Amino acid sequence: MLIAHLSDPHLCPPGQLYQSVLDTTPRFAEALAQAASFSPDLLILSGDLTEHGDAESYARALDLLAAFPAPILAIPGNHDDREAFRAGLSGLPNLVPLTPSGPLHAIADGPVRVIGFDVTVPGDHHGIVTPDHAAWLDATLSAAPDRPTLVMMHQPLYPTGIGFVDAFRCFGEDTLAETLVRHPQAIRLVAGHVHRFTLTTFAGRPALTAPAIATSLALRLDPGAKAASFTEPPAMLLHHWDGERLTTHLQPVGAFPGPHDFF
Ligand SMILES: [Fe+2]
């Protein structure tokens, strides 16, 4: 099973540049085409599909996603609008269904089960795992205790060392850790939000953030560093399940010289 993972495209209304510097629509289109070339079984989008949460931007997303040749599991980020997201993607034929009210959770079954776990707080930039969230996840994980499971959120549960984004991470990590300890089949936690690839452990299992389709946050590890971004090459992750092991590959988006003979 192959899972293509894109994050943070931050689509804008026609004629607008993301943060006045970047047209994100062609970058997202190129990333989707490249992801499709790997023939994935599932596409997962870990939030910030749009920059402003407006209907025009969701209409652009729908145009770009409708032809994708695999099911799509998408959750919102802090830049999305919950109800506009729900309404805007409702016409997407290959969308993994979203919960009909409240947070926009979604579940895709397969050799690896994927749970889209919406921890966003409407109107705010950080995320939180509330006792209600944890109860939903506990019940959802309990329904398939033997299936390897990937849990996707928007904001990660851990500080990355980049202070200006860590202030807006997902809080409530103790609540989630208490839930996960009952579910060893939850083998991987993935997120977006940081606009950089990071990898650590959380509750004894690998936890990562995917790179962004939009600009990358500056790698500034000094506490109090000024927030900034760079127009680095976008990239995606490909999570490959071989029946025993889930291996994550990082693939830059673009056309590069090659293939060259290697051996
Ligand atoms: Fe973002």
Side-chain angles (χ1 to χ4, degrees), residues 2-6 31 34-36 38-45 68 71 73 236-239:
L2 187 66
I3 302 168
H5 181 181
L6 274 56
Q34 192 167 341
F38 292 103
S39 301
D41 301 288
L42 179 69
L43 171 68
I44 61 176
L45 302 171
F68 197 82
L73 190 155
M236 72 183 79
L237 300 179
L238 293 146
H239 307 290

Side-chain angles (χ1 to χ4, degrees), residues 3-46:
I3 302 168
H5 181 181
L6 274 56
S7 199
D8 293 83
H10 286 265
L11 296 175
C12 295
Q16 268 191 36
L17 297 179
Y18 171 64
Q19 296 192 336
S20 305
V21 296
L22 180 68
D23 186 355
T24 48
T25 295
R27 277 165 78 100
F28 191 39
E30 185 177 18
L32 288 167
Q34 192 167 341
S37 76
F38 292 103
S39 301
D41 301 288
L42 179 69
L43 171 68
I44 61 176
L45 302 171
S46 47

Side-chain angles (χ1 to χ4, degrees), residues 138-217:
D138 192 37
T140 303
L141 286 165
S142 295
D146 300 322
R147 191 92 54 82
T149 301
L150 182 154
V151 177
M152 177 173 73
M153 310 157 59
H154 179 62
Q155 294 96 340
L157 287 151
Y158 56 90
T160 63
I162 302 174
F164 55 83
V165 71
D166 289 345
F168 305 107
R169 70 178 173 91
C170 181
F171 298 95
E173 61 268 29
D174 292 345
T175 306
L176 193 71
E178 285 167 21
T179 302
L180 290 175
V181 79
R182 292 190 287 279
H183 301 286
Q185 84 276 19
I187 56 171
R188 184 73 49 89
L189 302 173
V190 305
H193 190 54
V194 177
H195 292 216
R196 297 198 69 81
F197 179 77
T198 69
L199 171 65
T200 187
T201 53
F202 181 85
R205 56 210 91 193
L208 60 78
T209 60
I213 300 303
T215 55
S216 299
L217 292 193

Side-chain angles (χ1 to χ4, degrees), residues 50-140:
T50 69
E51 170 67 357
H52 303 299
D54 59 292
E56 269 191 310
S57 298
Y58 290 113
R60 292 190 108 176
L62 201 66
D63 281 348
L64 293 166
L65 293 170
F68 197 82
I72 299 171
L73 190 155
I75 55 170
N78 51 300
H79 282 270
D80 289 302
D81 176 90
R82 182 178 285 176
E83 295 314 320
F85 188 102
R86 199 191 307 273
L89 295 192
S90 63
L92 192 58
N94 44 350
L95 184 73
V96 174
L98 295 159
T99 41
S101 62
L104 294 167
H105 307 310
I107 304 160
D109 279 313
V112 173
R113 196 167 182 239
V114 179
I115 298 176
F117 184 43
D118 178 10
V119 295
T120 58
V121 180
D124 228 323
H125 288 296
H126 69 282
I128 192 157
V129 178
T130 65
D132 281 351
H133 284 125
W136 180 87
L137 186 65
D138 192 37
T140 303

